[in-house]
Amino acid sequence: MSSHRKARSSNRILTQRAVRIGLFAASVAGVATAVPAQAQAATGTAHAAVVLDHVFTHADRAHHTQAQDSFTVRQFGTVNATGVRNQANAVSAGCSADDHCRSVALSFQIVTVAGEHTHLNAVNLSDAANKKCTGCQTLAGAYQFVVSTPTAFSLDSNTRSQLDDIHRRLDALTHSSLPAAELRTRVDALAGEVTGVLRDAVAHAPKGAEQPDVTLHRQLDGWPGH
């Protein structure tokens, strides 16, 4: 199979209170936070925050199976400017139909932000690449959940417990031997559960000029199937 690479991106303006800001450089790699998310969520003090979550896997003849997932909850409280980026990259290289590779990278990012005039830049990317890798299973999935409320809001212990359970099941799926097509379906179902849990949580959040909202950004790329 010839080298093939496809990049997909999602850069949406969330609600009327969100506008784009240039908080990310194209060369950013790794994970970084500008503020302690949990601590700031409790204070209600407006601040700026930047966060990046990134999962990368590379399978080849030396490492036939590479699988990794990330499930992060970033609670920023009241913010006046926020940049959030979620990214998953999976590569399979140099294997064959008789000696195939499996590369799976999945990243779930949950972000809570509060404020009625929040400047929010949300970027969500996935990219799966097969490089001369006939018969390989390669899947990259990025799921970004943005919880937007008019006033400071924190996920309670019951909500966190439900999210922890979903995380455990995501980890089991990531490291399973399910075919890529079935894995996609199962991971999508977990993402639907996350959305439901978050919507139940914000239903009890304080109301304001703007209504609490949960937005999902989903990007999936991989073989077999696109």
Side-chain angles (χ1 to χ4, degrees):
M1 181 176 292
S2 61
S3 176
H4 181 80
R5 190 170 184 85
K6 175 168 54 179
R8 302 177 183 177
S9 65
S10 173
N11 188 353
R12 300 177 52 194
I13 299 177
L14 305 180
T15 74
Q16 294 181 349
R17 75 189 87 147
V19 297
R20 294 184 59 186
I21 51 175
L23 292 179
F24 283 105
S27 61
V28 171
V31 177
T33 54
V35 294
Q38 299 292 346
Q40 291 288 350
T43 66
T45 303
H47 60 278
V50 177
V51 66
L52 166 63
D53 293 300
H54 183 201
V55 175
F56 173 75
T57 57
H58 185 283
D60 53 32
R61 292 176 182 174
H63 304 90
H64 287 78
T65 301
Q66 296 293 301
Q68 184 178 350
D69 63 81
S70 173
F71 194 106
T72 56
V73 180
R74 311 286 188 181
Q75 299 194 75
F76 289 117
T78 303
V79 292
N80 48 35
T82 306
V84 292
R85 183 184 182 103
N86 185 45
Q87 188 167 344
N89 296 86
V91 177
S92 293
C95 299
S96 65
D98 297 327
D99 188 27
H100 62 267
C101 294
R102 178 180 177 87
S103 184
V104 176
L106 299 170
S107 184
F108 277 45
Q109 182 191 64
I110 299 170
V111 177
T112 70
V113 294
E116 296 190 347
H117 303 285
T118 299
H119 300 278
L120 175 63
N121 182 41
V123 178
N124 191 55
L125 304 167
S126 74
D127 182 25
N130 265 18
K131 299 181 177 180
K132 298 180 180 179
C133 204
T134 303
C136 293
Q137 300 275 323
T138 311
L139 181 66
Y143 295 80
Q144 184 183 61
F145 308 82
V146 179
V147 179
S148 181
T149 57
T151 58
F153 168 77
S154 295
L155 302 175
D156 62 23
S157 58
N158 180 57
T159 299
R160 293 301 299 264
S161 178
Q162 293 179 74
L163 293 176
D164 287 343
D165 176 64
I166 295 172
H167 183 191
R168 285 190 291 270
R169 287 184 283 143
L170 173 67
D171 192 58
L173 280 176
T174 301
H175 295 89
S176 72
S177 58
L178 289 173
E182 183 177 351
L183 183 58
R184 290 159 62 98
T185 300
R186 298 278 292 274
V187 173
D188 271 344
L190 288 184
E193 288 189 43
V194 172
T195 300
V197 168
L198 295 176
R199 285 179 175 165
D200 287 345
V202 300
H204 306 291
K207 305 299 187 294
E210 298 284 347
Q211 294 298 309
D213 186 36
V214 178
T215 302
L216 167 62
H217 298 157
R218 168 189 176 275
Q219 295 294 335
L220 270 174
D221 192 18
W223 285 265
H226 297 276

